[in-house]
């Protein structure tokens, strides 16, 4: 009988051994790195930082890859749809967005907040990391820049937005919205810190301007100061960039402005190459008619209102727009980027890059700041610098009002179909209703200046509220 | 862990010692041997002295010795699966007792968790479906044969496709998470069938994607792994429902357990069974759609209502298309007949030591749809059983292998195509996109040229080893391995696409692979202690599942015909996923049967799952159950002699579940598939809740089983209440937090309560004629009983505390305004406007409708008369569901409609239920509100003649001396008629445009050689 107990005892101990924790250790599933590992070494931490910019350049049409250009261009007076078949696009053109319009979520809100999450994750991860301080600071500065850049666009579309600075969803999901003024304050804070640690030049990426530098932070700062009507600081930051002639200069040939070799570029976003032609530079893909550049139907055409603003002889009309004939009708489309769907293949070398910040903007920022400060001569000098490059005569101007009007028009032409500048400027200058009211006729409302928050967010975010008019 | 095992040992020890000291010598010692009719010794059979209640169990060679016996004491000999016998003790030793197979349903073998029992002795709720019930049904998937057969088990076909997922829900919906299925744990011959949800595409509503985990969409929305299992190979299906029955499966048993046991070899001369079946299938009902004349009138009226002229822009279907054509697109699409063919051959035999069964089967079923397509299955099953000469060592190996080929097409959604639309093919026999211009975008027949194939192999091997160490003590090991592989192939050729869109072709290859290993060592000990029999089981379970998939897609083909080689595609996309799941458990069961009438049963299981983080991995589960067979009491025999069997039983217990994707507790980053600045970027993957832990189900059951008049009539009723809390859900988070959900435990507490009844009668039991009739019904009520802070949660708009989880909120449609012709709705809040608050934050005008089935069940009649056998199975269900009127919400566009629209409003003063025609449904919110109103949900209760089986056994003398026995011809029909008020074609597959369940009629012949 004793045998029995022995057997039972042996068996029981076998079972208790078998239930030890080791047996449910699984081999890690393919293709992921645990967060704690990511920030243990410089390589992975650098890869995490690259992830933010990769996202901007990759996921189809998003805020940083043609999204601002196309949708804000439709909302403003720059672009028109060739066909009205897709209601979600039409809603942008007629300024009658629905909160349930999927593009608001998928092109703006989600990709932008996904970059902000990654920036916050990098910042949080680096805090616990043991890698060297200098590397840590540089990487963190990249994250701060990406966060500031993204917050700038978000608040430009939506007005007040949740200011997310944590990856803890329990805290962030309870956020309510923060006003645009306070978002700007955060952006300035992030950029001021970032510029101290970002590189001074483009040597890191072998001359490509696809990593943020101190200069990119300053360029964005100049823009945000301008938006805040802080003329003095805007002028100061712009001047710093303009004076750095060893790195930056306006390209004499307009066709060189958006190339990877452009000395005008302050910061460019590298389009994702591998999955070309599906996810490459979306501006060229969307604007250049396919399969034939000269005889296929375009997707987007330049509005008559915009075309009317070009002066005779403006080289920008020659170099930055294209023309196609479709069913014996001629259409003009934006042609700043030259490599359309037909030209892009896996073997296409990178010759042009999505240019987010360029020197011409700094000239116009300084012109506007100077004009607002009544330094009309200084403003005129800056303005004429941009006009000269476009092959236009120098302007002669007497009053501040004339000066500002000239700058507004120059900004409209120089930055047409580029990152939503026109839409943001119209709102910032307070002339959106005045300009768009007559063009958009019955569909324009004062409240259309901000896009609606995606309706699904209002279901999941208990403390969010909707913009007026939606 | 160790503590518990020591306790179990101590308990066994105490009970043992107790008996050792109570033994005293008596005058008579009786010994004997117990065998079955085949002469095999029965090991572990009970011999009980009915006077004292004391007894013993037989050893490996069926021998027993029992002391303390007085002359003329009655000895009761019982063994599960055999009819019990009572013998009178006398000095004539040894006794040679032969037990006969049980014919009474109560004493037949019922498979339970890690063992067998009978309905008489079970303390838990186990539903059984036996091979003879399955054989009568012409289904390709054995799960379909379970429909209605066991109360409390709702089986729903999620599509009309033969290989489509079958959704099973046992006793209601537990989880508020609609991303996880209600599937129970499936165990085939001891091997759990687990397929991880790699692509995270499973859902509560449509079930599991099954063997398809590559992410490539399939026409049936997945493929049931049981599509590969031949129903004819199954001996029995046991469905474990309550805590007592499922607790031994611990965390895997929360949704119930389905045990599938395949046919085994039998001792005896070698027999061959052959069965050949052929038949056809067809769609039983069609929607009534407008004909061309009616359609054209509708379009003209809609245009005139909208003040629009008829021209190429507003109505190309009227101006560009031939208005004299008429095609009934439904008949075109699925009006055909599908052929089925099935052949089964099995050979079995053996001797007292070794027996075997080998079966082969082939099934072919052609698709009924317009395009070509078919399903094929070929399978092989093998079983070998062996026992050593001393009968101590036993081995049973079961193996199933099958291959299926599904050649399918995505059904074009053409029900709403205008009836005057042009031909499907042009004169050259090519797809007629161009002929449909300028409405080529409505041409949906491109799918005809888009092949979809899936080939699936499934192998399931179960090996059960046992060794009887000494009388009453058996060492067992259950070893199992199963795997399955599905290869999918799809193409979208250029020829299948609208040439106006400059299409390019694409081709996809996908494969999914899963494997399960299981090792379960066990020790079982049984002996008589006091006046009862104790059985103790201790065991461990170690399981591993690997699921992986690969996908290879080629895009941008500019020429059809080059697409078979993905390597030639201009752009290639590849991805692979692999996930492992491990699970370890220790379990134990103590069962004590006192005086054949008081039964106590305790289960315990400690589980660890790799789905949870350190510190949260292990959980303890268990149950306590008891039964009182009061019909064994003497006062019953005298007081209520017509009650031949009476049992009251109950149980309470905890089971858990880990319905979660793998690795959710880990904060992870993944590499992007392209470079940025020559760096391969890392991207964050998910929000994480590191405290993720077990979801717990608490189950209570009380039941009464009765048999009347020598069990001629039997009745059983069970009441249960299951609560599920700590629910694991992908908790929705706002996208601005970075991700849209986090897998987390939610505070929701969901309760399912219900009743199950079964009434069965052998109404006639004569030599020439037998008639049995059974009726069963399961009634379940689902309720969200608590959700702290629901209004602040993302579920605010979906759920309501106190209501079922399967609710929808709808406006109350009050008809059509006689003046305007627009739909009107009740202003419930009385604020003068109709409001829908999709955020669920404020009270709006909506009412709640519960879509859970209220009850379902089945009424079966089986009649044998001489050589004739007829079996009728009616399945019924009461429920409310989405109806086809949804499609009426805005009639008048370029889309055909149900004839119901003819009732539409035309001129002021018209009182009707269908709004005025319009070509612009966006013109008034009432059109879309109609789709969110109670008008589109209606009674979808039904009674279906699920199955009709009629057979005639040819007289044996016809084959006298030719070695043919039991030759029968039969006819079987599935889904023969439907009685319903449902506004649609199939209340089981609601939603306009879905292919309904097919009607199947088969003719067959079976014989034994």
């Amino acid at each position: 009988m004793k045998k029995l107990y022995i057997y039972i005892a042996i068996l029981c101990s076998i079972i208790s051994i078998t239930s030890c924790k080791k047996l449910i250790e699984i081999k890690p599933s393919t293709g992921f790195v645990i967060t704690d590992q990511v920030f243990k070494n410089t390589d992975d931490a650098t890869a995490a930082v690259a992830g933010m910019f990769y996202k901007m350049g990759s996921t189809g049409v998003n805020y940083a890859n043609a999204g601002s250009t196309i949708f804000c261009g439709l909302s403003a007076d720059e672009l028109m749809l060739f066909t009205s078949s897709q209601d979600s696009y039409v809603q942008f053109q007629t300024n009658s967005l629905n909160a349930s319009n999927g593009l608001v979520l998928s092109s703006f809100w989600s990709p932008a907040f996904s970059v902000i999450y990654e920036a916050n994750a990098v910042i949080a991860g680096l805090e616990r990391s043991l890698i060297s301080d200098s590397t840590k600071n540089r990487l963190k500065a990249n994250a701060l820049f990406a966060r500031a850049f993204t917050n700038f666009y978000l608040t430009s579309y939506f007005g007040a937005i949740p200011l997310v600075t944590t990856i803890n969803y329990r805290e962030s999901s309870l956020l309510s919205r923060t006003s645009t003024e306070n978002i700007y304050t955060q952006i300035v804070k992030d950029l001021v810190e970032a510029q101290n640690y970002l590189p001074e030049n483009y040597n890191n990426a072998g001359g490509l301007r696809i990593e943020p530098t101190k200069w990119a932070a300053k360029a964005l700062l100049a823009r945000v100061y301008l938006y805040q009507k802080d003329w003095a600081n805007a002028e100061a930051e712009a001047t710093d960039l303009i004076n750095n002639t060893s790195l930056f200069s306006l390209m004499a040939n307009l066709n060189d402005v958006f190339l990877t070799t452009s000395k005008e570029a302050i910061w460019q976003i590298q389009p994702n190459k591998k999955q070309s032609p599906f996810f490459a530079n979306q501006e060229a893909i969307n604007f250049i008619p396919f399969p034939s550049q000269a005889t296929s139907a375009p997707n987007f055409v330049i509005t008559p209102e915009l075309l009317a603003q070009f002066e005779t002889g403006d080289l920008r009309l020659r170099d930055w727009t294209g023309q196609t004939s479709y069913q014996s009708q001629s259409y003009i489309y934006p042609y700043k980027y030259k490599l359309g769907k037909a030209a892009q293949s896996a073997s296409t070398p990178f010759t042009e890059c999505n240019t987010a910040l360029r020197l011409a903007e700094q000239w116009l920022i300084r012109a506007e700041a100077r004009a607002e400060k009544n330094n009309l001569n200084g403003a005129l000098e800056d303005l004429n610098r941009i006009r000269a490059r476009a092959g236009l005569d120098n302007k002669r101007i007497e009053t501040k009002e004339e000066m500002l009007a000239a700058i507004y028009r120059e900004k409209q032409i120089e930055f047409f179909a580029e990152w939503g500048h026109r839409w943001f400027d119209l709102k910032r200058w307070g002339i959106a209703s005045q300009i768009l009211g007559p063009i958009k006729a019955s569909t324009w409302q004062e409240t259309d200046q901000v896009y609606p928050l995606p309706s699904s967010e209002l279901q999941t975010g208990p403390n969010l509220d909707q913009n007026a008019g939606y | 862990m160790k503590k518990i095992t020591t306790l179990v040992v101590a308990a066994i020890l105490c009970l043992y010692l107790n008996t050792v000291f109570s033994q005293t010598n008596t005058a008579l010692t009786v010994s004997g041997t117990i065998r079955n009719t085949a002469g095999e010794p029965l090991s572990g059979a009970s011999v009980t002295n009915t006077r004292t209640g004391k007894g013993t169990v037989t050893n490996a060679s069926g021998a027993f010795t029992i002391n303390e016996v007085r002359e003329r004491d009655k000895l009761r000999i019982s063994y599960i699966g055999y009819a019990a016998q009572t013998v009178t003790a006398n000095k004539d030793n040894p006794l040679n007792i032969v037990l006969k197979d049980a014919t009474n349903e109560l004493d037949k073998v019922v498979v339970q968790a890690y063992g067998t029992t009978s309905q008489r002795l079970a303390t838990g709720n186990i539903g059984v479906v036996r091979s003879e019930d399955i054989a009568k049904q012409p289904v390709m998937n054995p799960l379909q044969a379970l429909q209605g057969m066991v109360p409390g088990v709702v089986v729903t076909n999620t599509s009309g496709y033969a290989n489509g997922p079958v959704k099973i829900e046992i006793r209601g919906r537990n989880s508020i998470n609609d991303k996880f299925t209600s599937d129970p744990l499936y165990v085939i011959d001891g091997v759990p069938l687990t397929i991880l949800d790699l692509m995270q595409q499973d859902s509560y509503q449509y079930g599991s994607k099954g063997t398809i985990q590559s992410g490539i969409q399939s026409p049936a929305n997945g493929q049931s792994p049981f599509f590969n299992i031949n129903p004819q190979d199954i001996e029995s299906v046991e469905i474990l429902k309550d805590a007592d029955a499922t607790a031994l499966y611990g965390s895997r048993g929360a949704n119930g357990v389905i045990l599938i046991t395949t046919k085994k070899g039998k001792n005896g001369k070698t027999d061959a069974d052959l069965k050949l079946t052929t038949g056809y299938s067809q769609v039983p009902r069609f929607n009534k759609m407008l004909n061309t004349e009616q359609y054209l009138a509708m379009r003209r009226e809609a245009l005139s209502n909208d003040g629009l002229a008829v021209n190429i822009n507003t109505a190309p279907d009227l101006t560009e298309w031939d208005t004299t054509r008429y095609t009934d697109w439904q008949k075109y699409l699925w009006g055909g007949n599908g052929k089925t063919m099935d052949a089964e051959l099995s050979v079995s035999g053996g001797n007292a030591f070794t027996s075997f069964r080998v079966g082969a089967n082939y099934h072919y079923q052609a698709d009924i749809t317009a395009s070509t397509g078919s399903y094929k299955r070929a399978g092989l099953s093998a079983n070998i059983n062996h026992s050593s000469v001393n009968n101590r060592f036993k081995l049973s190996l079961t193996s199933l292998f099958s291959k299926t080929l599904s050649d399918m097409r995505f059904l074009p959604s053409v029900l709403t195509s205008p009836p005057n639309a042009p031909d499907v093919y042009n004169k050259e026999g090519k797809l007629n996109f161009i002929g449909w211009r300028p409405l080529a975008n409505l041409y949906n027949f491109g799918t005809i040229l888009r092949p979809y194939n899936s080939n699936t192999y499934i192998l399931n091997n179960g090996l059960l080893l046992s060794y009887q160490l000494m009388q009453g003590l058996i060492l067992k090991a259950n070893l199992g391995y199963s795997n399955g592989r599905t290869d999918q192939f799809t193409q979208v050729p250029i020829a299948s696409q609208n040439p106006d869109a400059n299409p390019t072709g694409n081709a996809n290859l996908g494969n999914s692979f899963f494997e399960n290993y299981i090792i379960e060592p066990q020790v079982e000990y049984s002996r008589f202690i006091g006046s009862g029999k104790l059985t103790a089981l201790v065991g461990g379970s170690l399981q591993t599942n690997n699921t992986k998939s690969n996908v290879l897609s080629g895009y941008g083909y500019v020429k059809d015909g080059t697409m078979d080689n993905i390597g030639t595609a201009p752009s290639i996309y590849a991805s692979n996923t692999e996930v492992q799941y491990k699970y370890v458990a220790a379990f134990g069961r103590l069962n004590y049967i006192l005086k054949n009438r008081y039964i106590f049963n305790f289960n315990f299981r400690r589980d660890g799952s790799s789905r949870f983080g350190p510190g949260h991995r292990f959980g303890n589960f268990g149950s306590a159950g008891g039964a009182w067979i009061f019909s064994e009491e003497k006062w019953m025999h005298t007081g209520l002699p017509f009650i031949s069997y009476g049992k009251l039983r109950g149980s309470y217990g905890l089971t858990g579940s880990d319905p979660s994707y793998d690795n959710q507790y880990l904060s992870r980053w993944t590499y992007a598939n392209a470079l940025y600045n020559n760096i391969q970027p890392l991207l964050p993957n998910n929000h994480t809740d590191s405290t993720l832990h077990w979801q717990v189900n608490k189950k209570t059951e009380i039941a009464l089983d009765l048999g009347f008049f020598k069990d001629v009539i039997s009745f059983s009723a069970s009441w249960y209440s299951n609560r599920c809390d700590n629910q694991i859900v992908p908790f929705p988070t706002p996208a601005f937090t970075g991700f849209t959900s986090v897998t987390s435990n939610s505070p929701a507490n969901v309760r399912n309560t219900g009743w199950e009844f079964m009434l069965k009668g052998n109404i006639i039991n004569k030599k020439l004629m037998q008639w049995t009739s059974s009726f069963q019904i399961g009634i379940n009520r689902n309720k969200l009983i608590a959700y702290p802070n629901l209004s602040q949660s993302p579920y605010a708009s979906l759920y309501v505390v106190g209501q079922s989880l399967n609710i929808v909120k709808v406006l109350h449609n009050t008809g059509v305004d006689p003046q305007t012709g627009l739909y009107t709705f009740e202003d419930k809040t009385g604020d003068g406007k109709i409001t829908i608050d999709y955020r669920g934050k404020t009270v709006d005008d909506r009412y709640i409708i519960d879509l859970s089935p209220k009850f379902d069940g089945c009424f079966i009649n089986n009649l044998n008369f001489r050589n004739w056998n007829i079996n009728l199975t009616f399945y019924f269900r009461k429920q409310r569901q989405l109806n086809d009127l949804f499609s009426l919400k805005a009639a008048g566009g370029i889309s055909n409609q149900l004839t119901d629209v003819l009732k539409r409003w035309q001129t002021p003063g018209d009182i009707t239920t269908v709004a005025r025609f319009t070509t612009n449904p966006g013109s008034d919110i009432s059109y879309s509100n109609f789709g969110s109103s109670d008008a589109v949900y209606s009674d979808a209760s039904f009674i279906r003649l699920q199955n009709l089986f009629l057979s005639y056994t040819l007289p044996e003398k016809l084959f006298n001396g030719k070695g043919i026995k039991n030759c029968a011809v039969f006819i079987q029909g599935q889904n023969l008629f439907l009685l319903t008020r449902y506004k649609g074609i199939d209340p089981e597959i609601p939603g306009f445009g879905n292919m309904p369940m097919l009607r199947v009629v088969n003719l067959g012949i079976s014989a034994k050689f």
Side-chain angles (χ1 to χ4, degrees), chain B residues 410-470:
Chain B
F410 283 90
L411 279 185
S413 49
V414 299
L415 289 200
T416 56
S417 291
N420 68 322
D423 262 332
V424 172
Y425 296 98
N426 63 16
K427 282 184 191 119
E428 290 92 59
K430 300 221 167 94
L431 295 183
N432 199 11
F433 282 101
I434 288 163
W436 283 50
R437 277 178 183 164
L439 293 168
N441 59 321
L442 296 183
Y443 182 89
N444 285 326
F445 294 96
T447 55
I448 290 178
L449 290 190
R450 296 175 196 164
Y452 172 92
N453 291 314
S454 73
N455 297 351
T456 303
Y457 309 81
I458 285 186
L459 171 72
N460 191 86
N461 284 321
L463 174 64
L464 190 65
L465 300 171
S466 71
Y467 184 75
Q468 182 158 3
L469 208 59
M470 49 182 280

Side-chain angles (χ1 to χ4, degrees), chain B residues 34 42-47 56-59 62 64 77-80 99 528 533:
Chain B
I34 301 173
L42 296 176
S43 155
S46 305
V47 182
T56 186
V57 290
T58 54
N59 67 11
F64 69 93
I77 320 292
S78 63
Y79 190 74
I80 286 169
L99 287 186
F528 274 78
K533 184 184 179 189

Side-chain angles (χ1 to χ4, degrees), chain B residues 544-600:
Chain B
T544 303
N545 173 281
N546 294 309
T547 305
K548 44 189 159 183
S549 76
N550 304 307
V551 176
L552 197 56
S553 303
Y555 293 97
Y557 288 99
V558 291
K559 204 172 154 232
D560 289 345
T562 56
M563 292 171 54
D564 289 342
N565 185 350
I566 303 276
T568 61
S571 284
I572 295 173
Y573 168 81
S575 113
N576 64 314
T577 316
E578 179 174 0
V579 177
Q580 189 174 52
Y581 171 64
K582 276 194 182 178
Y583 175 88
V584 63
F587 56 83
R589 169 165 60 207
L590 269 183
N591 181 283
Y592 187 62
I593 303 174
L594 182 63
K595 295 185 174 166
N596 263 322
R597 66 193 86 144
Y598 311 107
I599 308 172
F600 306 93

